[in-house]
Amino acid sequence: MKFEISNIVFVILLAFLTGYLTFLTTKGKLTDSRNNKIWNQLTSRGRKVFFLLITITVTLILQEINSQNSDSNKDFIIKTERNFRDSIIAEGIKQGIDSSNTNLFKNLSKAFASQNLKIDTLQNTIKILRDSIKTAVINNYENDDPVLLIDTNGISLNDSLTNYFLIKISSHDAGSSNFEIKISSFILFADNSFTVKKSLDIFPRGLKIPQDYKWEAGFSIDSQKRVSKLYIYLFGKYSTVDGLKEIDINDLYLYNNETKETTIIINKLRDEIIEKLNKNYP
C-alpha cells in the first residue's frame, strides 16, 4: 500500500493559504516600478505572494498525488478482499469435493465388499477375494469389529425364590446384529447338584445392539434350590450392523452367587464345563 494523508489536511491547508493570499493582495502594493529588474520590482509583500502561489501549486500537486495513492489503496483493498473471498470459496469447493470423494469411496468399498471384491488403490484394480473354506467378506473401509461381552456386573440374580437371572450383553467398539448364537447354562447348586438349561432364546429376530449399549434378557430355573454358581456358554456367530462381516463367538462365563461377580473362564475348567454341557444335550 502507498502512503496516504487524509484529504481534509489539504483542504485546511489550501483554505489557509488562499485566505492569506487574499489578505496580502488587498492590503498593499505588490510591485515597485522604480527598479529595472523584475525580481527587484516585487515588493516584500509581492515576494510573499509569489512564494505563496508556489506553495499553493505544490500543495495542489501533492493533493492530486495523494488522491491517486488513495485510489490505488482502495483498488488494492478491493483486490485483496476479492482474492480472500475467492480463496475461501475455492477451499470450500475443494473440501466439498474431497468429502464427496471420500463418501463415494466408502460406499463403493462397501458395495464391492458385499460382492467379495476389493478395490486396490495402488494398482487401480479390482480383486476377487475368496477363502479356501468359505467366502471371506473383506471391506477396504476399515472399521472396528464389534465385541460381544458380558461385563463383571452383567449377570445378576433378580429373584432368589424363582431363581430368575438377568443377563446384560454389551456390544463394545461397534454395533452388532444378525445374532445366530446358542446360549446354554450349567447351574451348580449349593448341595453340589447341577442342572443344564439349553437353547436359551435371548436374541429376538432383527435385534441390533448399538455401540457400547447393552441388551438385557432374563430366564428362570425350574428349581427352588439355592444356586451357588451359574455358567453361561455363548456359541455361534454375529455380524456388524451392516452385515458385511461375521464374527465368531465361543465364550464361557461364570456368575458366582456368593461374590455377585461375573468372570470369563479361559482355563481348564472351561473345557470341563463345555464337555458337561455337550453331554447333556438331547
Side-chain angles (χ1 to χ4, degrees):
M1 294 182 63
K2 297 181 179 180
F3 179 74
E4 178 185 352
I5 300 175
S6 176
N7 193 57
I8 190 66
V9 174
F10 293 98
V11 172
I12 294 173
L13 182 60
L14 287 172
F16 173 78
L17 293 175
T18 303
Y20 189 43
L21 177 63
T22 302
F23 173 79
L24 290 176
T25 56
T26 57
K27 294 298 182 179
K29 291 183 178 181
L30 301 180
T31 60
D32 185 357
S33 57
R34 290 176 298 177
N35 295 315
N36 295 326
K37 296 181 178 181
I38 296 177
W39 179 253
N40 291 333
Q41 289 181 357
L42 293 175
T43 63
S44 175
R45 184 181 298 274
R47 292 175 182 176
K48 289 180 180 180
V49 169
F50 174 79
F51 286 115
L52 193 58
L53 290 172
I54 293 176
T55 302
I56 291 174
T57 302
V58 172
T59 301
L60 290 172
I61 294 172
L62 291 176
Q63 185 183 31
E64 177 61 23
I65 294 174
N66 187 71
S67 297
Q68 293 179 3
N69 289 345
S70 178
D71 292 340
S72 177
N73 290 339
K74 289 178 181 179
D75 292 339
F76 176 78
I77 292 174
I78 292 173
K79 183 178 179 181
T80 302
E81 290 178 348
R82 184 175 62 249
N83 292 338
F84 180 70
R85 288 196 303 269
D86 291 345
S87 65
I88 292 177
I89 294 172
E91 181 64 23
I93 294 173
K94 180 178 180 298
Q95 291 179 358
I97 293 174
D98 291 343
S99 177
S100 298
N101 289 340
T102 300
N103 291 332
L104 178 60
F105 180 72
K106 290 179 180 178
N107 293 333
L108 284 175
S109 296
K110 292 180 180 180
F112 279 113
S114 65
Q115 301 298 322
N116 303 321
L117 301 173
K118 178 183 178 182
I119 302 174
D120 190 336
T121 56
L122 295 178
Q123 299 181 8
N124 293 325
T125 59
I126 297 174
K127 295 182 178 180
I128 299 176
L129 300 167
R130 295 192 179 276
D131 190 89
S132 59
I133 299 177
K134 62 180 181 179
T135 300
V137 179
I138 300 179
N139 191 349
N140 199 44
Y141 171 56
E142 295 293 338
N143 277 323
D144 291 333
D145 294 336
V147 180
L148 282 187
L149 291 175
I150 300 177
D151 298 324
T152 55
N153 60 349
I155 301 177
S156 59
L157 179 59
N158 276 25
D159 190 340
S160 59
L161 295 179
T162 61
N163 281 331
Y164 182 83
F165 288 90
L166 184 65
I167 302 177
K168 300 177 183 178
I169 300 179
S170 304
S171 182
H172 294 279
D173 298 335
S176 53
S177 63
N178 301 323
F179 303 99
E180 298 180 16
I181 301 174
K182 295 179 180 179
I183 301 179
S184 299
S185 63
F186 180 89
I187 304 99
L188 181 64
F189 297 104
D191 62 1
N192 288 329
S193 62
F194 69 88
T195 185
V196 173
K197 196 171 182 66
K198 300 160 289 185
S199 300
L200 298 175
D201 186 13
I202 67 171
F203 293 107
R205 184 179 297 275
L207 172 66
K208 293 183 179 181
I209 305 177
Q211 178 180 346
D212 298 328
Y213 275 72
K214 297 179 181 180
W215 171 251
E216 297 184 4
F219 69 95
S220 60
I221 301 170
D222 298 330
S223 176
Q224 298 298 320
K225 295 181 181 180
R226 182 175 180 274
V227 174
S228 173
K229 294 179 180 179
L230 168 68
Y231 294 90
I232 297 292
Y233 182 44
L234 287 77
F235 177 80
K237 61 184 179 180
Y238 59 97
S239 73
T240 54
V241 172
D242 54 20
L244 296 180
K245 186 171 184 180
E246 290 184 346
I247 299 99
D248 294 328
I249 186 170
N250 188 1
D251 296 333
L252 179 68
Y253 292 90
L254 165 63
Y255 169 73
N256 191 322
N257 197 24
E258 302 298 330
T259 61
K260 310 299 182 184
E261 290 184 351
T262 303
T263 55
I264 189 168
I265 305 300
I266 58 174
N267 53 23
K268 184 178 179 181
L269 178 61
R270 166 191 167 86
D271 297 333
E272 295 176 357
I273 296 298
I274 293 176
E275 184 179 356
K276 290 179 180 181
L277 286 170
N278 290 335
K279 285 183 179 179
N280 283 275
Y281 279 158

